[in-house]
Amino acid sequence: MTRYVIMANGRGMRWGGHLGIPKHLITVDDETLLQRLVRQIADHADDPDIVISSSDPRYDTPGARRHEPVTNELEIDRFPPELITEPVCFLYGDTYYTDRAMARIVEPEHEEDSPLRFYGDERSIVAVKAREPEAMLTHIRRVRELYLAGKIASCIGWHVYHSFTGLPFEGNQIGRHFERLDGETAGFNKPDDLKAFRRNYDLLSAGAERVLDYEAGGAGS
């Protein structure tokens, strides 16, 4: 069994209370982003343990249990170490995933696979799978320590990826252990991201292949 952690413990400053709801409660086809994610995981994964990481009771969603993170001070704390005790996949609760993207993310790992695998594109990392929990914990700790020591400017998912691969911490450089999901996800950081998504969603419903390739924000990772 793999644990799937839907990260919904950010502050949403750029969203600014648009529509009077948190961005994780945006609806697409009468489902909130959280409801959609929980359903997609359940549809594609075998006996998943689905956890929504958030202190906000509004995010309680059938099919998942909510976990209040022990520490939620820095962006890197979106990856709660207390949940990294077994193979785990982190997903972003403010992101729309196509079913095709979710199927690729949930695909079972093989023994020869990398201890960590990252998914996304140059804009954003949208999922992180840790086949070996200790590897994930090691790089989360390293990124946190580097940030607190003033050696890197921020501490987000990209820094975990660059710590793991040995790539420079600056920028969104992609190399090994990264599976591209171009045009398969959309992140909502600010109201304009939702507007851009709505303009393109009709094309997706009509069967277009890559309608999510627009200049919207990533998942903040």
Side-chain angles (χ1 to χ4, degrees):
M1 179 173 65
T2 296
R3 175 171 292 157
Y4 292 85
V5 178
I6 301 171
M7 297 179 288
N9 48 352
R11 293 178 174 82
M13 301 298 290
R14 287 174 287 178
W15 182 251
H18 182 58
L19 302 178
I21 58 172
K23 55 187 176 177
H24 306 82
L25 300 184
I26 293 168
T27 57
V28 179
D29 290 338
D30 298 322
E31 287 181 306
T32 67
L33 291 179
L34 293 178
Q35 289 170 338
R36 177 182 174 85
L37 262 172
V38 171
R39 175 181 58 78
Q40 286 179 309
I41 295 167
D43 286 348
H44 289 94
D46 183 22
D47 189 29
D49 174 24
I50 307 175
V51 182
I52 295 174
S53 177
S54 175
S55 59
D56 192 333
R58 292 176 295 177
Y59 295 166
D60 287 341
T61 302
R65 59 187 175 91
R66 185 169 58 85
H67 169 81
E68 187 166 344
V70 173
T71 303
N72 191 22
E73 300 170 353
L74 306 176
E75 288 192 70
I76 197 67
D77 296 332
R78 293 179 181 183
F79 303 100
E82 66 271 17
L83 294 178
I84 309 175
T85 58
E86 58 189 88
V88 60
C89 177
F90 286 95
L91 298 155
Y92 287 80
D94 59 356
T95 298
Y96 173 93
Y97 300 79
T98 65
D99 286 333
R100 182 166 44 194
M102 188 59 63
R104 288 175 62 185
I105 293 168
V106 171
E107 184 179 358
E109 296 288 317
H110 302 288
E111 202 62 37
E112 66 275 12
D113 284 342
S114 170
L116 302 181
R117 184 169 295 278
F118 299 76
Y119 299 79
D121 55 32
E122 284 87 354
R123 295 176 305 168
S124 59
I125 290 172
V126 298
V128 183
K129 287 180 79 173
R131 186 169 64 87
E132 297 181 11
E134 191 55 43
M136 184 72 177
L137 289 169
T138 295
H139 292 285
I140 288 173
R141 292 189 196 108
R142 180 178 182 230
V143 167
R144 201 175 203 280
E145 289 168 2
L146 287 171
Y147 175 74
L148 291 175
K151 295 182 178 179
I152 54 177
S154 58
C155 52
I156 58 178
W158 280 108
H159 295 101
V160 177
Y161 173 64
H162 292 153
S163 176
F164 175 61
T165 58
L167 289 169
F169 282 109
E170 298 79 15
N172 295 357
Q173 188 174 343
I174 292 174
R176 299 176 302 147
H177 312 300
F178 196 103
E179 187 163 342
R180 300 186 65 98
L181 295 176
D182 298 279
E184 298 288 350
T185 66
F188 303 101
N189 283 324
K190 53 189 186 300
D192 284 349
D193 296 339
L194 179 59
K195 293 176 184 177
F197 175 82
R198 296 293 189 200
R199 286 197 299 268
N200 287 273
Y201 186 67
D202 287 343
L203 294 174
L204 179 66
S205 300
E209 289 294 317
R210 288 162 58 100
V211 303
L212 301 183
D213 280 343
Y214 55 84
E215 290 299 322
S221 60

